[in-house]
Amino acid sequence: MKAQVESSQQTLRPKAPGKIKHYFTVAIVILLLWGSAVQTEATFGELIQGLPNMLDLLKEMLPPKWGYLSKIWSAMLETIRMALLGTTFGAIMAVPIALLSASNIARHKWIYYPVRFILNLIRTIPDLLLAALFVAIFGLGALPGILALAFFSLGVIAKLTYEALETIDPGPLEAMTAAGAHPLQIIKFGVVPQIKPHFISFLLYTFEINVRAAAVLGLVGAGGIGHYYEVTLGFLEYDKTCMIIIVTLAVVLAIDYISSKLREKLL
């Protein structure tokens, strides 16, 4: 009897999943990596040959020129201001765009599909290329960098926000609609309270990214610390470049720490 019960349990027990799928996935990944390496002509031999040059560069970068800090500090502050302004303007523009992109808010395909297409178009253009375009239009300075970061922020924040909007609780919205609330009242009292913490979190995250991005926009003439990267690298003054990297790293780490703590409290 006992043997029959054990035999019955073994029959009912589901079979372990096969490993063929995993082997097939690993084979495809290896094939893609190999194909990419061949097409880009990237080889380990080339990497090994470049290691001595890398060590020579590190020797020229160390020790960093600490006295250069007083000269680049104002440019670093300008970079942070560019990121702050660009993120703020982008976040403001992202609010209506996100509302029009969310299918549970706009409700009509002919509204949210074209808006999403524009968002995809904005995200397709790299921030460095945007900065170069705005430099060609407005000339050298911080303004092209701010505009580039604003459009970059618009694409990121609007995308993340409308995806979060589509996951909010529909109950309050349906109740307010049944009570005859105006669409603006639904957004103000039903949507905003649910999406507000997420939106601020996305804004802080984008600000972190923008500080890093703003550090290199000066390479195309958009102001900030990137201009000093271009100058020191052009004159092969690697000890000064090392000082700029250290300052940029310290600022990014500080902003990343503060932003992470704020986002932990919001979510």
Side-chain angles (χ1 to χ4, degrees), residues 11-259:
T11 305
L12 295 174
R13 187 177 298 168
K15 294 182 179 179
K19 294 185 178 179
I20 296 178
K21 183 178 178 181
H22 300 290
Y23 295 145
F24 188 67
T25 304
V26 171
I28 290 178
V29 170
I30 293 174
L31 188 63
L32 286 173
L33 290 173
W34 177 78
S36 300
V38 171
Q39 292 298 323
T40 57
E41 299 180 356
T43 62
F44 282 106
E46 192 176 8
L47 178 64
I48 293 171
Q49 287 177 0
L51 283 177
N53 296 332
M54 190 183 299
L55 293 175
D56 292 339
L57 179 62
L58 287 174
K59 288 177 184 175
E60 293 184 33
M61 292 178 75
L62 298 174
K65 194 174 182 61
W66 299 104
Y68 201 53
L69 176 62
S70 59
K71 190 169 184 178
I72 61 174
W73 188 243
S74 59
M76 193 68 239
L77 290 177
E78 184 184 36
T79 300
I80 298 173
R81 294 187 195 110
M82 286 168 54
L84 184 64
L85 289 171
T87 307
T88 304
F89 293 148
I92 293 171
M93 292 189 292
V95 172
I97 299 295
L99 290 171
L100 292 173
S101 301
S103 59
N104 57 339
I105 305 295
R107 295 184 181 278
H108 297 290
K109 292 181 180 179
W110 59 269
I111 295 178
Y112 60 79
Y113 274 138
V115 179
R116 289 182 187 182
F117 175 77
I118 294 171
L119 268 182
N120 291 331
L121 186 62
I122 292 173
R123 288 201 310 278
T124 302
I125 306 173
D127 50 357
L128 204 59
L129 179 57
L130 279 173
L133 292 173
F134 285 124
V135 165
I137 297 171
F138 298 103
L140 300 175
L143 180 61
I146 294 170
L147 292 175
L149 294 176
F151 276 89
F152 174 76
S153 303
L154 164 65
V156 174
I157 296 175
K159 165 76 173 175
L160 296 173
T161 303
Y162 93 70
E163 289 182 346
L165 278 170
E166 292 182 336
T167 63
I168 63 174
D169 183 7
L173 311 186
E174 293 171 358
M176 293 182 70
T177 304
H182 190 271
L184 291 178
Q185 292 175 319
I186 294 174
I187 292 172
K188 183 178 180 181
F189 299 105
V191 175
V192 172
Q194 296 191 65
I195 200 65
K196 187 177 175 182
H198 298 280
F199 181 78
I200 297 175
S201 174
F202 299 150
L203 190 150
L204 292 171
Y205 174 66
T206 308
F207 177 63
E208 292 175 34
I209 299 174
N210 280 347
V211 171
R212 298 183 182 94
V216 296
L217 292 184
L219 293 174
V220 293
I225 197 72
H227 170 68
Y228 288 87
Y229 275 113
E230 183 185 17
V231 171
T232 55
L233 287 172
F235 286 99
L236 307 181
E237 297 173 322
Y238 297 121
D239 54 344
K240 293 181 178 178
T241 306
C242 183
M243 190 64 240
I244 300 172
I245 293 173
I246 291 173
V247 172
T248 306
L249 177 65
V251 170
V252 168
L253 289 178
I255 291 174
D256 181 68
Y257 177 78
I258 296 170
S259 175

